[in-house]
């Protein structure tokens, strides 16, 4: 992917994989390899683990965008993602924030809020690239897109004159049945896929999958960035 890689941003931040990071980010987390497309299970999680750790070093949006699209970002220590004994006020924060070791010479976590014009952050994404949360989100997005595709021609085409002769109430009722049928089709397909032994995030197995409720939920809930590997 062309948007991958490290780009200098300013003295106060590193721009990497569409995300701003603290300049205190350890070297071993700077140039990470992504999992091969075919990687599954523990093998994939081993690739994601450093990305999950790196996500803790990201800058957190503090304000904006304003009318010009400028956003302001706080360092991970100021934002409470990380703690260090070098910065005593961070030690009063939640112990859920990992404690990291920094050179004793490091006296300040940052030089204050960093501002970024939109042109400098064209690829910023809500969920850090390469993390477990990012993979789960991508799987969900693919699920939503496949439902859209199914309703627009793959399973049935609801755009082109499908219910032309009916009134709105009848259309709504019939569309309900159509979506239910698509759901059944998807559930069968999903079960077939599971039978093939495809690797799926464990926590989705307990739920009915492919329902509209799920689809709406997928759009609304962003998985926690602090979450480890599922299951
Ligand atoms: Zn700071």
């Amino acid at each position: 992917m062309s948007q991958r890689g490290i780009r200098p941003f300013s003295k106060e931040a590193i721009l990497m994989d569409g995300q701003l990071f603290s300049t205190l980010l350890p070297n071993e987390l700077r140039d990470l390899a992504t999992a091969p497309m075919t990687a599954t299970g523990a093998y994939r999680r081993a690739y994601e683990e450093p990305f999950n750790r790196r996500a803790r070093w990201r800058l957190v949006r503090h304000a904006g965008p304003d009318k010009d699209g400028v956003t302001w970002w706080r360092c991970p220590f100021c934002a409470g993602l990380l703690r260090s004994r070098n910065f005593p006020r961070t030690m009063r924060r939640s112990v859920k924030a990992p404690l990291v070791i920094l050179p004793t010479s490091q006296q300040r976590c940052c030089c204050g809020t960093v501002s970024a014009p939109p042109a400098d952050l064209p690829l910023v994404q809500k969920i850090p690239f390469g993390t477990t949360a990012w993979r789960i989100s991508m799987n969900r997005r693919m699920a939503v897109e496949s439902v859209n595709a199914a309703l627009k021609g793959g399973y049935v085409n609801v755009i082109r004159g499908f219910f032309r002769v009916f009134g709105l109430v009848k259309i709504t009722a019939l569309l309900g049945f159509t979506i239910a049928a698509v759901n059944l089709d998807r559930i069968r397909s999903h079960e077939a896929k599971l039978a093939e032994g495809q690797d799926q995030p464990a926590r989705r197995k307990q739920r009915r999958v492919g329902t509209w409720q799920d689809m709406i939920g997928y759009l609304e809930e962003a998985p926690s960035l602090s979450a480890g590997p599922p299951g």
Side-chain angles (χ1 to χ4, degrees), residues 74-79 89 108-112:
R74 288 203 298 168
C75 98
F77 294 95
C78 290
R89 79 200 150 76
R108 297 176 72 178
C109 57
C110 63
C111 306

Side-chain angles (χ1 to χ4, degrees), residues 77-148:
F77 294 95
C78 290
L81 290 180
L82 290 171
R83 295 178 301 140
S84 165
R85 296 197 192 284
N86 296 35
F87 320 128
R89 79 200 150 76
T90 65
M91 296 305 291
R92 294 194 288 272
R93 289 271 173 77
S94 164
V95 293
K96 283 180 194 158
L99 183 61
V100 295
I101 309 293
L102 294 170
T104 45
S105 59
Q106 192 67 47
Q107 294 298 312
R108 297 176 72 178
C109 57
C110 63
C111 306
T113 312
V114 176
S115 70
D120 283 346
L121 296 175
L123 302 165
V124 78
Q125 39 188 322
K126 208 168 171 185
I127 304 175
F129 172 81
T131 59
T132 305
W134 179 83
R135 171 170 53 90
I136 291 169
S137 166
M138 290 300 281
N139 287 347
R140 286 169 178 173
R141 193 202 283 178
M142 280 190 279
V144 171
E145 279 166 8
S146 70
V147 167
N148 285 339

